[in-house]
Amino acid sequence: VSTQSTWGARVRTGRSLRGVPMTSHCTRGQRKLVEDVMVKACSTLTGELAGSYKSIGEMGIKMHEQLIKEHIMFDKPDAPLMLSGMMHKDWPHYRGMFWNPQKTFMVWVNEEDHYRFVCMQNGGNIRQVFERFATGVLQLTKGVEDQGYSFMKHPHYGYLTCCPSNIGTGVRAGVHVRIPKMSKHPQFRELLTKMRLDARGTGGVEDTSTDSGGVFDISNKDRLGKSELQLVQICVNGVAKLVELEKQLESGGDVSSSISSMPYLK
């Protein structure tokens, strides 16, 4: 994806530990087990993925807040949906994050899901992000299985997660892209629907701002029915199209007919 228009790329997924209730119904002991299994699995990571794990208690308030400001760490749940789902239960016990020194690969423990694997970097090289992400997920899966555990997976639906919208691959590939003109076009939302994309502000899932300086977090809408690679490719193709149309608008062109004639992606 063009690096002139993109600010950063991220790929993430969620996993649940088989045999343990999901986060909203975990006991403290089960939550500790979830943490212990992943801490041990993370210790097997090597090369650029190697790093360290800290619980929120070990981080302290100052480090925790700094990591939140860097958009790589989760905060205490306060959204009505999270609170009604008891995601704040036993906060902050047995919650934390693993990260490598470059802060390009992170593992969240006991947030919304038992585990959230996140890979990110500046620029638009989402292929590099996905390759690192895939390597990390495969290594951690082996690290979990070597301890006699596994992730919840349905033979037809795929990986099971706390939020139904993530069932399947759980993969969300996102790119921060600057499209000030395209985002104000009356057919912007129609275009996103046709390309199976979501657009949100750069502040995360709760950020529905439409006044973001033209910078949006564009990601694949689906998690189910396609492979991880296919979902990432949908994001790449979509962002490339948005950048192309943005350039046409910058030069004074009209993109309405192009959007109207575009078929819906199946």
Side-chain angles (χ1 to χ4, degrees), residues 87-104:
M87 297 303 169
H88 62 296
K89 183 180 177 183
D90 297 326
W91 180 272
H93 299 289
Y94 309 118
R95 293 171 170 89
M97 182 176 77
F98 168 93
W99 68 96
N100 64 349
Q102 300 84 3
K103 296 179 180 177
T104 56

Side-chain angles (χ1 to χ4, degrees), residues 206-233:
E206 300 297 329
D207 186 355
T208 57
S209 172
T210 57
D211 184 17
S212 55
V215 180
F216 286 81
D217 182 0
I218 304 295
S219 64
N220 55 292
K221 181 183 288 290
D222 302 309
R223 312 285 187 265
L224 187 67
K226 294 180 175 64
S227 71
E228 290 84 350
L229 183 58
Q230 287 174 320
L231 293 175
V232 173
Q233 192 61 55

Side-chain angles (χ1 to χ4, degrees), residues 12 112 161-168 170-171 221-224:
R12 62 83 166 153
E112 180 179 331
T161 54
C162 199
C163 181
S165 68
N166 285 322
I167 289 175
V171 166
K221 181 183 288 290
D222 302 309
R223 312 285 187 265
L224 187 67

Side-chain angles (χ1 to χ4, degrees), residues 72-265:
I72 63 173
M73 179 57 181
F74 58 94
D75 200 355
K76 182 178 181 178
D78 59 4
L81 182 64
M82 299 288 276
L83 295 177
S84 64
M86 298 298 291
M87 297 303 169
H88 62 296
K89 183 180 177 183
D90 297 326
W91 180 272
H93 299 289
Y94 309 118
R95 293 171 170 89
M97 182 176 77
F98 168 93
W99 68 96
N100 64 349
Q102 300 84 3
K103 296 179 180 177
T104 56
F105 185 76
M106 285 75 67
V107 180
W108 294 358
V109 175
N110 283 320
E111 188 235 9
E112 180 179 331
D113 291 307
H114 290 160
Y115 308 120
R116 184 67 60 87
F117 306 137
V118 184
C119 191
M120 59 187 287
Q121 69 182 44
N122 293 330
N125 194 339
I126 198 167
R127 175 175 178 172
Q128 194 174 69
V129 174
F130 181 68
E131 288 176 347
R132 186 187 307 113
F133 164 83
T135 300
V137 172
L138 288 173
Q139 289 187 18
L140 288 173
T141 300
K142 183 179 185 303
V144 168
E145 292 175 347
D146 285 348
Q147 298 176 64
Y149 296 95
S150 62
F151 296 132
M152 295 185 196
K153 189 176 184 182
H154 188 276
H156 178 68
Y157 295 113
Y159 291 102
L160 304 180
T161 54
C162 199
C163 181
S165 68
N166 285 322
I167 289 175
T169 63
V171 166
R172 179 182 182 275
V175 176
H176 287 188
V177 58
R178 187 175 183 277
I179 45 173
K181 293 186 179 296
M182 188 63 243
S183 61
K184 293 178 180 178
H185 193 280
Q187 290 177 283
F188 179 52
R189 294 294 166 180
E190 176 189 344
L191 177 62
L192 294 175
T193 299
K194 286 186 171 184
M195 297 192 295
R196 303 299 299 169
L197 297 175
D198 270 331
R200 61 178 65 158
T202 56
V205 66
E206 300 297 329
D207 186 355
T208 57
S209 172
T210 57
D211 184 17
S212 55
V215 180
F216 286 81
D217 182 0
I218 304 295
S219 64
N220 55 292
K221 181 183 288 290
D222 302 309
R223 312 285 187 265
L224 187 67
K226 294 180 175 64
S227 71
E228 290 84 350
L229 183 58
Q230 287 174 320
L231 293 175
V232 173
Q233 192 61 55
I234 286 172
C235 176
V236 171
N237 293 346
V239 170
K241 187 64 177 179
L242 287 169
V243 172
E244 175 191 325
L245 296 176
E246 177 71 21
K247 290 180 178 178
Q248 289 183 30
L249 290 171
E250 287 176 351
S251 62
D254 180 21
V255 300
S256 297
S257 59
S258 176
I259 294 173
S260 297
S261 62
M262 184 180 296
Y264 284 87
L265 183 66

Side-chain angles (χ1 to χ4, degrees), residues 53-66:
Y53 175 86
K54 285 186 181 294
S55 68
I56 291 178
E58 292 172 328
M59 290 177 189
I61 295 176
K62 187 175 181 179
M63 178 183 285
H64 185 219
E65 290 181 347
Q66 178 58 37

